Amino acid sequence: WMPEALDDLWALDLTALTPECLWEGLCLVRLPWRRVPVPGTRVHGVWGAGMHINARTSWLYLSGGQRFDVERQRLVEEDRVAVFRLRDALFSACSATGASLATAVAGQLAQFWVQCRDALGLAAAAAELEVQVEGSVLVSASVFGAGEGKYTVQYLPVIAGQYTISVLVGRG
């Protein structure tokens, strides 16, 4: 028997945990596994024992775990740390809505909204947005956090014309 080594990352979705489950062991709900998209090179053939994501620096650390030693035909303990630079995989599901994405009136404040979810489908409140409104002139945009991964964006087009709105999502 040889275990299959996967080169993807999964996390247990703990959102359904209740205080009763944590403190008293009365867990009546199944906890699903969710795939976490991690771009770039991956460690192949290793099962990680611990995972830590530094939200400030966007680094993912996998520590310990096991790998299958083909020569000895058994699992071997790993004593190393693998480090991955996340490219905002946790904020990969963002959408924008509002009439001001398509039309706005020169001289009047325009507004639209952005909703960000992480790879597990949860509200991504730590995302940082940069909005660029470019046309015949550059227009500054203001972003306001509304909580629960929601953001309000306002901009004031000063002259009539065509503009392109770009919403960049990151961690700063």
Side-chain angles (χ1 to χ4, degrees), residues 24-143:
E24 300 169 20
L26 300 173
C27 302
L28 303 174
V29 65
R30 292 181 124 187
L31 301 176
W33 286 93
R34 304 272 190 228
R35 185 161 192 232
V36 179
V38 179
T41 306
R42 297 166 179 86
V43 176
H44 293 278
V46 176
W47 292 267
M51 177 177 80
H52 172 75
I53 297 175
N54 184 325
R56 188 180 58 77
T57 62
S58 304
W59 289 96
L60 167 70
Y61 299 89
L62 294 178
S63 60
Q66 297 178 329
R67 67 176 169 78
F68 188 76
D69 186 327
V70 178
E71 286 183 22
R72 295 192 271 176
Q73 291 292 301
R74 66 182 184 98
L75 292 173
V76 178
E77 294 293 320
E78 284 289 302
D79 186 24
R80 66 175 171 170
V81 175
V83 182
F84 300 91
R85 172 76 170 150
L86 298 176
R87 289 188 311 224
D88 302 314
L90 298 180
F91 307 119
S92 60
C94 294
S95 60
T97 186
S100 310
L101 288 167
T103 61
V105 177
Q108 291 183 8
L109 190 64
Q111 179 173 282
F112 64 92
W113 298 268
V114 176
Q115 168 76 61
C116 288
R117 299 215 168 267
D118 63 18
L120 302 176
L122 305 174
E128 292 188 16
L129 303 182
E130 178 185 336
V131 178
Q132 301 169 349
V133 182
E134 300 176 71
S136 52
V137 295
L138 186 64
V139 176
S140 72
S142 299
V143 178

Side-chain angles (χ1 to χ4, degrees), residues 7-27:
D7 65 347
D8 53 2
L9 179 63
W10 292 79
L12 191 58
D13 184 348
L14 302 177
T15 56
L17 280 181
T18 63
E20 292 80 21
C21 179
L22 292 173
W23 295 316
E24 300 169 20
L26 300 173
C27 302

